[in-house]
PDB file of all heavy atoms in Angstrom:
ATOM      1  N   THR A1345      95.199  94.030  95.126  1.00 82.00           N
ATOM      2  CA  THR A1345      96.042  93.489  96.201  1.00 82.00           C
ATOM      3  C   THR A1345      95.233  92.630  97.154  1.00 82.00           C
ATOM      4  O   THR A1345      95.666  91.544  97.574  1.00 82.00           O
ATOM      5  CB  THR A1345      96.711  94.639  96.982  1.00 82.00           C
ATOM      6  OG1 THR A1345      97.464  95.454  96.071  1.00 82.00           O
ATOM      7  CG2 THR A1345      97.629  94.115  98.068  1.00 82.00           C
ATOM      8  N   VAL A1346      94.038  93.096  97.498  1.00 85.00           N
ATOM      9  CA  VAL A1346      93.165  92.324  98.389  1.00 85.00           C
ATOM     10  C   VAL A1346      92.738  91.021  97.717  1.00 85.00           C
ATOM     11  O   VAL A1346      92.737  89.949  98.344  1.00 85.00           O
ATOM     12  CB  VAL A1346      91.931  93.161  98.789  1.00 85.00           C
ATOM     13  CG1 VAL A1346      90.915  92.294  99.531  1.00 85.00           C
ATOM     14  CG2 VAL A1346      92.356  94.337  99.658  1.00 85.00           C
ATOM     15  N   LEU A1347      92.376  91.087  96.425  1.00 84.00           N
ATOM     16  CA  LEU A1347      91.972  89.881  95.713  1.00 84.00           C
ATOM     17  C   LEU A1347      93.115  88.876  95.629  1.00 84.00           C
ATOM     18  O   LEU A1347      92.904  87.661  95.754  1.00 84.00           O
ATOM     19  CB  LEU A1347      91.483  90.242  94.309  1.00 84.00           C
ATOM     20  CG  LEU A1347      90.106  90.923  94.229  1.00 84.00           C
ATOM     21  CD1 LEU A1347      89.826  91.391  92.809  1.00 84.00           C
ATOM     22  CD2 LEU A1347      89.011  89.989  94.714  1.00 84.00           C
ATOM     23  N   ALA A1348      94.325  89.365  95.422  1.00 79.00           N
ATOM     24  CA  ALA A1348      95.487  88.473  95.364  1.00 79.00           C
ATOM     25  C   ALA A1348      95.702  87.781  96.712  1.00 79.00           C
ATOM     26  O   ALA A1348      95.994  86.584  96.779  1.00 79.00           O
ATOM     27  CB  ALA A1348      96.737  89.249  94.962  1.00 79.00           C
ATOM     28  N   ALA A1349      95.520  88.533  97.796  1.00 83.00           N
ATOM     29  CA  ALA A1349      95.686  87.958  99.135  1.00 83.00           C
ATOM     30  C   ALA A1349      94.605  86.902  99.397  1.00 83.00           C
ATOM     31  O   ALA A1349      94.891  85.829  99.944  1.00 83.00           O
ATOM     32  CB  ALA A1349      95.619  89.059 100.191  1.00 83.00           C
ATOM     33  N   LEU A1350      93.371  87.187  98.974  1.00 86.00           N
ATOM     34  CA  LEU A1350      92.286  86.229  99.157  1.00 86.00           C
ATOM     35  C   LEU A1350      92.530  84.944  98.360  1.00 86.00           C
ATOM     36  O   LEU A1350      92.258  83.847  98.839  1.00 86.00           O
ATOM     37  CB  LEU A1350      90.952  86.853  98.742  1.00 86.00           C
ATOM     38  CG  LEU A1350      90.378  87.913  99.684  1.00 86.00           C
ATOM     39  CD1 LEU A1350      89.217  88.637  99.025  1.00 86.00           C
ATOM     40  CD2 LEU A1350      89.934  87.286 101.004  1.00 86.00           C
ATOM     41  N   THR A1351      93.079  85.115  97.159  1.00 79.00           N
ATOM     42  CA  THR A1351      93.389  83.944  96.338  1.00 79.00           C
ATOM     43  C   THR A1351      94.424  83.065  97.024  1.00 79.00           C
ATOM     44  O   THR A1351      94.304  81.823  97.057  1.00 79.00           O
ATOM     45  CB  THR A1351      93.908  84.373  94.957  1.00 79.00           C
ATOM     46  OG1 THR A1351      92.890  85.131  94.291  1.00 79.00           O
ATOM     47  CG2 THR A1351      94.266  83.158  94.106  1.00 79.00           C
ATOM     48  N   MET A1352      95.459  83.672  97.575  1.00 77.00           N
ATOM     49  CA  MET A1352      96.495  82.912  98.275  1.00 77.00           C
ATOM     50  C   MET A1352      95.919  82.222  99.507  1.00 77.00           C
ATOM     51  O   MET A1352      96.257  81.068  99.806  1.00 77.00           O
ATOM     52  CB  MET A1352      97.647  83.833  98.667  1.00 77.00           C
ATOM     53  CG  MET A1352      98.454  84.364  97.484  1.00 77.00           C
ATOM     54  SD  MET A1352      99.157  83.011  96.492  1.00 77.00           S
ATOM     55  CE  MET A1352     100.251  82.261  97.686  1.00 77.00           C
ATOM     56  N   LEU A1353      95.039  82.902 100.234  1.00 82.00           N
ATOM     57  CA  LEU A1353      94.431  82.306 101.425  1.00 82.00           C
ATOM     58  C   LEU A1353      93.511  81.152 101.054  1.00 82.00           C
ATOM     59  O   LEU A1353      93.451  80.144 101.766  1.00 82.00           O
ATOM     60  CB  LEU A1353      93.660  83.374 102.203  1.00 82.00           C
ATOM     61  CG  LEU A1353      94.524  84.445 102.891  1.00 82.00           C
ATOM     62  CD1 LEU A1353      93.642  85.584 103.397  1.00 82.00           C
ATOM     63  CD2 LEU A1353      95.329  83.849 104.034  1.00 82.00           C
ATOM     64  N   GLU A1354      92.797  81.289  99.920  1.00 79.00           N
ATOM     65  CA  GLU A1354      91.964  80.181  99.444  1.00 79.00           C
ATOM     66  C   GLU A1354      92.828  78.981  99.091  1.00 79.00           C
ATOM     67  O   GLU A1354      92.489  77.830  99.398  1.00 79.00           O
ATOM     68  CB  GLU A1354      91.156  80.615  98.221  1.00 79.00           C
ATOM     69  CG  GLU A1354      89.907  81.406  98.549  1.00 79.00           C
ATOM     70  CD  GLU A1354      89.019  81.571  97.339  1.00 79.00           C
ATOM     71  OE1 GLU A1354      89.376  82.372  96.452  1.00 79.00           O
ATOM     72  OE2 GLU A1354      87.991  80.880  97.259  1.00 79.00           O
ATOM     73  N   THR A1355      93.956  79.251  98.447  1.00 70.00           N
ATOM     74  CA  THR A1355      94.870  78.172  98.076  1.00 70.00           C
ATOM     75  C   THR A1355      95.390  77.448  99.309  1.00 70.00           C
ATOM     76  O   THR A1355      95.553  76.217  99.303  1.00 70.00           O
ATOM     77  CB  THR A1355      96.069  78.735  97.280  1.00 70.00           C
ATOM     78  OG1 THR A1355      95.579  79.405  96.114  1.00 70.00           O
ATOM     79  CG2 THR A1355      97.028  77.617  96.860  1.00 70.00           C
ATOM     80  N   ARG A1356      95.615  78.171 100.383  1.00 72.00           N
ATOM     81  CA  ARG A1356      96.089  77.576 101.635  1.00 72.00           C
ATOM     82  C   ARG A1356      94.955  76.926 102.426  1.00 72.00           C
ATOM     83  O   ARG A1356      95.179  76.318 103.471  1.00 72.00           O
ATOM     84  CB  ARG A1356      96.755  78.647 102.520  1.00 72.00           C
ATOM     85  CG  ARG A1356      98.035  79.240 101.936  1.00 72.00           C
ATOM     86  CD  ARG A1356      98.519  80.397 102.812  1.00 72.00           C
ATOM     87  NE  ARG A1356      99.656  81.072 102.222  1.00 72.00           N
ATOM     88  CZ  ARG A1356     100.919  80.742 102.445  1.00 72.00           C
ATOM     89  NH1 ARG A1356     101.189  79.729 103.246  1.00 72.00           N
ATOM     90  NH2 ARG A1356     101.901  81.410 101.870  1.00 72.00           N
ATOM     91  N   GLY A1357      93.711  77.067 101.945  1.00 74.00           N
ATOM     92  CA  GLY A1357      92.572  76.467 102.638  1.00 74.00           C
ATOM     93  C   GLY A1357      92.135  77.232 103.866  1.00 74.00           C
ATOM     94  O   GLY A1357      91.489  76.671 104.755  1.00 74.00           O
ATOM     95  N   LEU A1358      92.442  78.541 103.912  1.00 81.00           N
ATOM     96  CA  LEU A1358      92.143  79.330 105.105  1.00 81.00           C
ATOM     97  C   LEU A1358      90.885  80.180 104.966  1.00 81.00           C
ATOM     98  O   LEU A1358      90.329  80.627 105.972  1.00 81.00           O
ATOM     99  CB  LEU A1358      93.332  80.224 105.471  1.00 81.00           C
ATOM    100  CG  LEU A1358      94.604  79.473 105.890  1.00 81.00           C
ATOM    101  CD1 LEU A1358      95.767  80.436 106.049  1.00 81.00           C
ATOM    102  CD2 LEU A1358      94.366  78.717 107.186  1.00 81.00           C
ATOM    103  N   VAL A1359      90.463  80.462 103.734  1.00 84.00           N
ATOM    104  CA  VAL A1359      89.212  81.183 103.527  1.00 84.00           C
ATOM    105  C   VAL A1359      88.422  80.478 102.434  1.00 84.00           C
ATOM    106  O   VAL A1359      88.974  79.733 101.614  1.00 84.00           O
ATOM    107  CB  VAL A1359      89.421  82.673 103.147  1.00 84.00           C
ATOM    108  CG1 VAL A1359      90.210  83.408 104.201  1.00 84.00           C
ATOM    109  CG2 VAL A1359      90.099  82.788 101.781  1.00 84.00           C
ATOM    110  N   LEU A1360      87.118  80.732 102.431  1.00 82.00           N
ATOM    111  CA  LEU A1360      86.224  80.109 101.470  1.00 82.00           C
ATOM    112  C   LEU A1360      85.287  81.174 100.922  1.00 82.00           C
ATOM    113  O   LEU A1360      84.710  81.961 101.674  1.00 82.00           O
ATOM    114  CB  LEU A1360      85.410  79.008 102.156  1.00 82.00           C
ATOM    115  CG  LEU A1360      84.415  78.238 101.296  1.00 82.00           C
ATOM    116  CD1 LEU A1360      85.156  77.369 100.290  1.00 82.00           C
ATOM    117  CD2 LEU A1360      83.526  77.370 102.180  1.00 82.00           C
ATOM    118  N   ASP A1361      85.160  81.216  99.587  1.00 80.00           N
ATOM    119  CA  ASP A1361      84.260  82.162  98.937  1.00 80.00           C
ATOM    120  C   ASP A1361      82.857  81.570  98.902  1.00 80.00           C
ATOM    121  O   ASP A1361      82.601  80.575  98.227  1.00 80.00           O
ATOM    122  CB  ASP A1361      84.754  82.436  97.506  1.00 80.00           C
ATOM    123  CG  ASP A1361      83.880  83.454  96.780  1.00 80.00           C
ATOM    124  OD1 ASP A1361      82.948  83.987  97.402  1.00 80.00           O
ATOM    125  OD2 ASP A1361      84.139  83.704  95.586  1.00 80.00           O
ATOM    126  N   ALA A1362      81.942  82.162  99.638  1.00 75.00           N
ATOM    127  CA  ALA A1362      80.556  81.696  99.696  1.00 75.00           C
ATOM    128  C   ALA A1362      79.655  82.771  99.093  1.00 75.00           C
ATOM    129  O   ALA A1362      79.242  83.709  99.778  1.00 75.00           O
ATOM    130  CB  ALA A1362      80.144  81.393 101.130  1.00 75.00           C
ATOM    131  N   LEU A1363      79.418  82.673  97.773  1.00 74.00           N
ATOM    132  CA  LEU A1363      78.540  83.603  97.056  1.00 74.00           C
ATOM    133  C   LEU A1363      78.992  85.047  97.225  1.00 74.00           C
ATOM    134  O   LEU A1363      78.195  85.950  97.494  1.00 74.00           O
ATOM    135  CB  LEU A1363      77.083  83.430  97.532  1.00 74.00           C
ATOM    136  CG  LEU A1363      76.479  82.033  97.330  1.00 74.00           C
ATOM    137  CD1 LEU A1363      75.071  81.986  97.903  1.00 74.00           C
ATOM    138  CD2 LEU A1363      76.462  81.681  95.856  1.00 74.00           C
ATOM    139  N   GLY A1364      80.293  85.257  97.061  1.00 77.00           N
ATOM    140  CA  GLY A1364      80.823  86.616  97.112  1.00 77.00           C
ATOM    141  C   GLY A1364      81.182  87.103  98.501  1.00 77.00           C
ATOM    142  O   GLY A1364      81.706  88.216  98.654  1.00 77.00           O
ATOM    143  N   ARG A1365      80.938  86.293  99.497  1.00 86.00           N
ATOM    144  CA  ARG A1365      81.322  86.669 100.860  1.00 86.00           C
ATOM    145  C   ARG A1365      82.326  85.646 101.371  1.00 86.00           C
ATOM    146  O   ARG A1365      82.076  84.439 101.310  1.00 86.00           O
ATOM    147  CB  ARG A1365      80.106  86.711 101.790  1.00 86.00           C
ATOM    148  CG  ARG A1365      80.466  87.229 103.190  1.00 86.00           C
ATOM    149  CD  ARG A1365      79.244  87.419 104.064  1.00 86.00           C
ATOM    150  NE  ARG A1365      79.623  88.014 105.345  1.00 86.00           N
ATOM    151  CZ  ARG A1365      79.747  89.296 105.568  1.00 86.00           C
ATOM    152  NH1 ARG A1365      79.496  90.152 104.584  1.00 86.00           N
ATOM    153  NH2 ARG A1365      80.113  89.778 106.743  1.00 86.00           N
ATOM    154  N   TYR A1366      83.445  86.134 101.871  1.00 89.00           N
ATOM    155  CA  TYR A1366      84.521  85.242 102.306  1.00 89.00           C
ATOM    156  C   TYR A1366      84.355  84.887 103.775  1.00 89.00           C
ATOM    157  O   TYR A1366      84.060  85.754 104.612  1.00 89.00           O
ATOM    158  CB  TYR A1366      85.893  85.892 102.057  1.00 89.00           C
ATOM    159  CG  TYR A1366      86.219  85.960 100.587  1.00 89.00           C
ATOM    160  CD1 TYR A1366      85.791  87.035  99.813  1.00 89.00           C
ATOM    161  CD2 TYR A1366      86.920  84.933  99.971  1.00 89.00           C
ATOM    162  CE1 TYR A1366      86.062  87.093  98.454  1.00 89.00           C
ATOM    163  CE2 TYR A1366      87.201  84.984  98.609  1.00 89.00           C
ATOM    164  CZ  TYR A1366      86.772  86.057  97.859  1.00 89.00           C
ATOM    165  OH  TYR A1366      87.038  86.094  96.516  1.00 89.00           O
ATOM    166  N   ARG A1367      84.530  83.585 104.043  1.00 84.00           N
ATOM    167  CA  ARG A1367      84.397  83.092 105.412  1.00 84.00           C
ATOM    168  C   ARG A1367      85.635  82.305 105.781  1.00 84.00           C
ATOM    169  O   ARG A1367      86.320  81.751 104.911  1.00 84.00           O
ATOM    170  CB  ARG A1367      83.166  82.190 105.528  1.00 84.00           C
ATOM    171  CG  ARG A1367      81.871  82.874 105.127  1.00 84.00           C
ATOM    172  CD  ARG A1367      80.685  82.006 105.421  1.00 84.00           C
ATOM    173  NE  ARG A1367      80.512  81.829 106.857  1.00 84.00           N
ATOM    174  CZ  ARG A1367      79.498  81.168 107.396  1.00 84.00           C
ATOM    175  NH1 ARG A1367      78.597  80.614 106.620  1.00 84.00           N
ATOM    176  NH2 ARG A1367      79.398  81.037 108.697  1.00 84.00           N
ATOM    177  N   PRO A1368      85.965  82.252 107.074  1.00 82.00           N
ATOM    178  CA  PRO A1368      87.154  81.483 107.490  1.00 82.00           C
ATOM    179  C   PRO A1368      86.964  79.999 107.239  1.00 82.00           C
ATOM    180  O   PRO A1368      85.850  79.471 107.317  1.00 82.00           O
ATOM    181  CB  PRO A1368      87.271  81.791 108.987  1.00 82.00           C
ATOM    182  CG  PRO A1368      85.902  82.198 109.405  1.00 82.00           C
ATOM    183  CD  PRO A1368      85.291  82.879 108.219  1.00 82.00           C
ATOM    184  N   ALA A1369      88.050  79.311 106.947  1.00 78.00           N
ATOM    185  CA  ALA A1369      88.020  77.864 106.724  1.00 78.00           C
ATOM    186  C   ALA A1369      89.263  77.257 107.354  1.00 78.00           C
ATOM    187  O   ALA A1369      90.204  77.965 107.733  1.00 78.00           O
ATOM    188  CB  ALA A1369      87.961  77.544 105.228  1.00 78.00           C
ATOM    189  N   GLY A1370      89.272  75.922 107.470  1.00 71.00           N
ATOM    190  CA  GLY A1370      90.446  75.222 107.987  1.00 71.00           C
ATOM    191  C   GLY A1370      90.885  75.752 109.338  1.00 71.00           C
ATOM    192  O   GLY A1370      90.081  75.971 110.244  1.00 71.00           O
ATOM    193  N   ALA A1371      92.186  75.993 109.471  1.00 69.00           N
ATOM    194  CA  ALA A1371      92.739  76.440 110.748  1.00 69.00           C
ATOM    195  C   ALA A1371      92.217  77.800 111.168  1.00 69.00           C
ATOM    196  O   ALA A1371      92.185  78.127 112.351  1.00 69.00           O
ATOM    197  CB  ALA A1371      94.271  76.479 110.666  1.00 69.00           C
ATOM    198  N   LEU A1372      91.799  78.624 110.193  1.00 74.00           N
ATOM    199  CA  LEU A1372      91.320  79.968 110.524  1.00 74.00           C
ATOM    200  C   LEU A1372      89.965  79.939 111.218  1.00 74.00           C
ATOM    201  O   LEU A1372      89.581  80.909 111.871  1.00 74.00           O
ATOM    202  CB  LEU A1372      91.233  80.814 109.246  1.00 74.00           C
ATOM    203  CG  LEU A1372      91.158  82.342 109.438  1.00 74.00           C
ATOM    204  CD1 LEU A1372      92.386  82.848 110.165  1.00 74.00           C
ATOM    205  CD2 LEU A1372      91.003  83.039 108.100  1.00 74.00           C
ATOM    206  N   VAL A1373      89.231  78.820 111.102  1.00 67.00           N
ATOM    207  CA  VAL A1373      87.944  78.708 111.783  1.00 67.00           C
ATOM    208  C   VAL A1373      88.118  78.832 113.279  1.00 67.00           C
ATOM    209  O   VAL A1373      87.316  79.450 113.972  1.00 67.00           O
ATOM    210  CB  VAL A1373      87.269  77.361 111.431  1.00 67.00           C
ATOM    211  CG1 VAL A1373      86.016  77.155 112.274  1.00 67.00           C
ATOM    212  CG2 VAL A1373      86.909  77.341 109.960  1.00 67.00           C
ATOM    213  N   ALA A1374      89.186  78.228 113.810  1.00 56.00           N
ATOM    214  CA  ALA A1374      89.446  78.308 115.246  1.00 56.00           C
ATOM    215  C   ALA A1374      89.634  79.746 115.677  1.00 56.00           C
ATOM    216  O   ALA A1374      89.112  80.200 116.699  1.00 56.00           O
ATOM    217  CB  ALA A1374      90.690  77.486 115.593  1.00 56.00           C
ATOM    218  N   SER A1375      90.386  80.506 114.876  1.00 54.00           N
ATOM    219  CA  SER A1375      90.596  81.908 115.189  1.00 54.00           C
ATOM    220  C   SER A1375      89.296  82.680 115.119  1.00 54.00           C
ATOM    221  O   SER A1375      89.002  83.528 115.949  1.00 54.00           O
ATOM    222  CB  SER A1375      91.625  82.501 114.202  1.00 54.00           C
ATOM    223  OG  SER A1375      91.808  83.878 114.442  1.00 54.00           O
ATOM    224  N   ALA A1376      88.473  82.351 114.118  1.00 55.00           N
ATOM    225  CA  ALA A1376      87.186  83.035 113.970  1.00 55.00           C
ATOM    226  C   ALA A1376      86.315  82.812 115.187  1.00 55.00           C
ATOM    227  O   ALA A1376      85.649  83.707 115.677  1.00 55.00           O
ATOM    228  CB  ALA A1376      86.479  82.530 112.715  1.00 55.00           C
ATOM    229  N   GLY A1377      86.323  81.577 115.706  1.00 47.00           N
ATOM    230  CA  GLY A1377      85.503  81.268 116.863  1.00 47.00           C
ATOM    231  C   GLY A1377      85.884  82.091 118.070  1.00 47.00           C
ATOM    232  O   GLY A1377      85.054  82.505 118.846  1.00 47.00           O
ATOM    233  N   ARG A1378      87.212  82.347 118.214  1.00 45.00           N
ATOM    234  CA  ARG A1378      87.648  83.128 119.375  1.00 45.00           C
ATOM    235  C   ARG A1378      87.426  84.616 119.189  1.00 45.00           C
ATOM    236  O   ARG A1378      87.148  85.342 120.122  1.00 45.00           O
ATOM    237  CB  ARG A1378      89.137  82.850 119.642  1.00 45.00           C
ATOM    238  CG  ARG A1378      89.415  81.518 120.254  1.00 45.00           C
ATOM    239  CD  ARG A1378      90.842  81.444 120.741  1.00 45.00           C
ATOM    240  NE  ARG A1378      91.777  81.609 119.652  1.00 45.00           N
ATOM    241  CZ  ARG A1378      92.212  80.619 118.874  1.00 45.00           C
ATOM    242  NH1 ARG A1378      91.747  79.414 119.067  1.00 45.00           N
ATOM    243  NH2 ARG A1378      93.080  80.827 117.911  1.00 45.00           N
ATOM    244  N   ARG A1379      87.579  85.108 117.928  1.00 43.00           N
ATOM    245  CA  ARG A1379      87.560  86.548 117.717  1.00 43.00           C
ATOM    246  C   ARG A1379      86.159  87.125 117.641  1.00 43.00           C
ATOM    247  O   ARG A1379      85.930  88.262 117.990  1.00 43.00           O
ATOM    248  CB  ARG A1379      88.312  86.901 116.422  1.00 43.00           C
ATOM    249  CG  ARG A1379      89.797  86.580 116.487  1.00 43.00           C
ATOM    250  CD  ARG A1379      90.418  86.751 115.110  1.00 43.00           C
ATOM    251  NE  ARG A1379      91.778  86.280 115.087  1.00 43.00           N
ATOM    252  CZ  ARG A1379      92.840  87.010 115.391  1.00 43.00           C
ATOM    253  NH1 ARG A1379      92.685  88.242 115.764  1.00 43.00           N
ATOM    254  NH2 ARG A1379      94.052  86.502 115.333  1.00 43.00           N
TER     255      ARG A1379
END
């Protein structure tokens, strides 16, 4: 279930897989900066 959610978020450009560790991307970067 988590992998499916990550796949959908990658498709939307909101997360990025960096060597097995997921990081915020696109619009989610702004949220990451605040949180």
Side-chain angles (χ1 to χ4, degrees):
T1345 303
V1346 171
L1347 287 172
L1350 288 169
T1351 299
M1352 292 302 296
L1353 291 169
E1354 279 191 286
T1355 302
R1356 295 173 186 270
L1358 295 172
V1359 302
L1360 180 69
D1361 182 3
L1363 300 177
R1365 185 174 185 86
Y1366 289 87
R1367 302 187 67 176
L1372 198 60
V1373 173
S1375 177
R1378 286 192 299 274
R1379 295 171 188 272

